[in-house]
Amino acid sequence: MIILGPSAQGFDTFDTLPPPGEYAQRFYSASLVDTDGDGRYEVDSALNDCDPDCAGGTSHHTIYRWTGKGYVAS
């Protein structure tokens, strides 16, 4: 998932694009959720530990909220 916002220079990416030459962006496996019902979406980032293998691994979720300046884990 990438997040874009209009800016004077074009678009702000909020550090969600992958670094040059890489494919995994900040929110590689993520979805939007409204965890607290306030009408604002949070980012639910789910990463699989692939232990003992990816099919049998455990997904770990981290919720990121917008602070007005960036997304932080809560």
Side-chain angles (χ1 to χ4, degrees):
M1 170 187 307
I2 62 169
I3 300 169
L4 302 173
S7 71
Q9 294 75 28
F11 286 97
D12 188 344
T13 65
F14 306 102
D15 297 321
T16 61
L17 289 175
E22 295 186 27
Y23 73 94
Q25 63 268 25
R26 180 178 179 191
F27 300 129
Y28 176 69
S29 177
S31 61
L32 294 177
V33 294
D34 185 4
T35 58
D36 52 10
D38 67 354
R40 285 192 240 173
Y41 287 107
E42 292 80 35
V43 177
D44 178 1
S45 178
L47 296 176
N48 187 333
D49 63 12
C50 292
D51 184 24
D53 53 47
C54 290
T58 302
S59 290
H60 300 276
H61 293 260
T62 303
I63 301 295
Y64 292 85
R65 287 187 167 72
W66 177 249
T67 65
K69 295 187 183 212
Y71 286 91
V72 296
S74 56

